[in-house]
Amino acid sequence: MRGGNIIFPTKSKGFLKFLIVIIAFQDVAAGVAGSIMADLIEAFPEYAPSTVMLIATIPGLFMIFPSLFYGKLSTKFTSRSLLFAGLIFFMIGGIMPFFLDNLFLIILFRGLLGLGVGITLPLSIDIITRFFEDRERDFLIGFGTSTIACVGAIFFQLGGGMLADNFGWQYGFLVYLFPIWILAITFLYLPEPAKKVAVHASLKETLFTAPKTVYGFTIGQVFFSMLVFGYVTNISILIQSEGLGSATEAGLAISLFTFGTLIIGMFFSRIRALMPIQNVPLAILLTGGGILGCYLSNGLTMIFVASFIGGIGLGLALPGVFARISELSNEKKGISFVGFIVAAQGLGGLLSPLFYQTILNITGFEGGRTTLLFASLGLTGLAIVWSIILIMSNSKSHAKDPHAPAL
């Protein structure tokens, strides 16, 4: 743990870790809309399904803005202030659809939820890297972005689906009241890291100083997020339209996807140490394989198993990308590239419905099961391309410098 001028009012190191990673509890909670997507499409029959799916994907657009400017925000405001703002945006944006029956107002408040995630997601990574180093840092990034975030996602997705089944789709959004306890406990007990030196690196300077690897991972993350959202927005449609189950079963499928992410997140640091180069492509391939299993399934049991496998891949891919990008950031110069990945995630989620709708229009197929096939094929192709680029880049780096670190 770093020393310097950081003050630790929290004596227990374990409790400090808990306070830091618990921030990630709500980072993927925007996916609650996925478990009730079939109900939402039914509730707004006058709109195209791709428009209704904006309820699930619009948070991605609004995540982009604060995440791109997170480096500057972190020098102007304390971590505690950013945490408070992020969680307040998240809760208001999450709860308000309960009171609304206007689709576009619901989408607008979902955007506010996205602003909250756009602040808290890079904040959680930033706080980890400012308190911890090396393997301990990798473990907490994996544990936070995968395990803890997925505990939250399971709660939101399954809880939202059950509330929607029993009381109506609007009640599914009441689960967003839950993060009040996170706001209270972290705001009261999380120690404030030493304030960053206000270097004021401009966005232009950050863009021009970013290594090619940062841009490669950012572009790859856009495609990865775009393809994975095909599962999030269509698994509910498959389960309910084919009579395999209700919103509760759809929420359980997404929760098992998330549970796979949760389990593997605890072993991320060890896996990354064993496979420093190819851990992300392998993870993407595993995600695609799980989604392919959902496409091939003829019952809930296979969907549940395949979802769990796909989630394992996601649980390796996300922290793998975040860990590499955090290594490439330059805190001394006030330059952080973590926001690039958060923005890429958001952009990919936003483009996902448009991407799949275009393919469906061209091929003449309907969504649901077919979309899962396209998602799995796309992820397989992305894994192959990503792997080849990493191998070529690593070979060039070692040809110039045999001691160069692996990409």
Side-chain angles (χ1 to χ4, degrees), residues 205-339:
E205 182 183 352
T206 302
L207 290 171
F208 281 102
T209 57
K212 291 181 181 179
T213 304
V214 170
Y215 285 109
F217 272 69
T218 301
I219 294 170
Q221 188 64 27
V222 171
F223 283 100
F224 180 66
S225 180
M226 182 174 67
L227 292 165
V228 169
F229 255 90
Y231 168 87
V232 174
T233 55
N234 282 269
I235 195 65
S236 172
I237 296 172
L238 184 156
I239 291 174
Q240 293 183 255
S241 66
E242 297 189 11
L244 299 176
S246 64
T248 299
E249 283 73 31
L252 181 56
I254 297 176
S255 296
L256 284 168
F257 187 86
T258 307
F259 187 66
T261 304
L262 180 158
I263 294 297
I264 203 66
M266 293 186 285
F267 304 98
F268 166 71
S269 61
R270 295 180 184 179
I271 294 172
R272 188 172 187 244
L274 292 172
M275 295 185 296
I277 300 175
Q278 293 294 344
N279 62 92
V280 174
L282 179 63
I284 295 171
L285 187 63
L286 196 58
T287 306
I291 295 175
L292 179 62
C294 291
Y295 164 75
L296 295 172
S297 66
N298 53 14
L300 278 176
T301 300
M302 187 172 176
I303 288 176
F304 290 160
V305 172
S307 295
F308 178 77
I309 293 171
I312 290 176
L314 183 67
L316 291 175
L318 288 181
V321 171
F322 276 120
R324 183 65 186 120
I325 293 302
S326 65
E327 290 171 351
L328 294 168
S329 299
N330 192 328
E331 188 177 319
K332 292 181 179 179
K333 292 185 178 180
I335 296 174
S336 174
F337 301 121
V338 171

Side-chain angles (χ1 to χ4, degrees), residues 93-244:
I95 295 166
M96 281 304 295
F98 170 76
F99 302 99
L100 303 170
D101 57 10
N102 181 293
L103 177 63
F104 294 102
L105 282 178
I106 291 172
I107 291 172
L108 180 63
F109 276 103
R110 293 285 291 175
L112 183 63
L113 178 145
L115 282 178
V117 177
I119 294 172
T120 58
L121 180 52
L123 174 65
S124 62
I125 303 295
D126 185 39
I127 292 178
I128 290 171
T129 58
R130 289 164 70 184
F131 277 123
F132 300 94
E133 294 176 330
D134 304 324
R135 286 285 295 275
E136 199 167 24
R137 178 202 60 211
D138 284 351
F139 169 77
L140 288 173
I141 289 176
F143 191 70
T145 60
S146 290
T147 303
I148 296 299
C150 292
V151 169
I154 290 171
F155 169 81
F156 285 106
Q157 292 156 358
L158 193 56
M162 292 175 68
L163 286 171
D165 270 346
N166 288 289
F167 304 105
W169 65 265
Q170 286 169 305
Y171 284 84
F173 292 98
L174 286 182
V175 292
Y176 289 108
L177 285 168
F178 191 74
I180 290 175
W181 76 272
I182 302 174
L183 176 62
I185 194 171
T186 52
F187 193 77
L188 288 173
Y189 297 108
L190 182 67
E192 180 68 36
K195 188 171 177 60
K196 289 186 177 180
V197 178
V199 181
H200 298 302
S202 65
L203 180 60
K204 182 178 179 181
E205 182 183 352
T206 302
L207 290 171
F208 281 102
T209 57
K212 291 181 181 179
T213 304
V214 170
Y215 285 109
F217 272 69
T218 301
I219 294 170
Q221 188 64 27
V222 171
F223 283 100
F224 180 66
S225 180
M226 182 174 67
L227 292 165
V228 169
F229 255 90
Y231 168 87
V232 174
T233 55
N234 282 269
I235 195 65
S236 172
I237 296 172
L238 184 156
I239 291 174
Q240 293 183 255
S241 66
E242 297 189 11
L244 299 176

Side-chain angles (χ1 to χ4, degrees), residues 321-389:
V321 171
F322 276 120
R324 183 65 186 120
I325 293 302
S326 65
E327 290 171 351
L328 294 168
S329 299
N330 192 328
E331 188 177 319
K332 292 181 179 179
K333 292 185 178 180
I335 296 174
S336 174
F337 301 121
V338 171
F340 284 31
I341 302 303
V342 178
Q345 272 187 242
L347 182 59
L350 179 69
L351 294 175
S352 184
L354 178 62
F355 169 75
Y356 286 112
Q357 192 60 54
T358 301
I359 292 179
L360 293 174
N361 290 340
I362 293 173
T363 60
F365 292 113
E366 294 184 356
R369 189 178 292 270
T370 306
T371 301
L372 298 181
L373 175 62
F374 291 136
S376 63
L377 293 175
L379 287 165
T380 300
L382 178 62
I384 294 171
V385 172
W386 200 313
S387 179
I388 292 172
I389 291 174

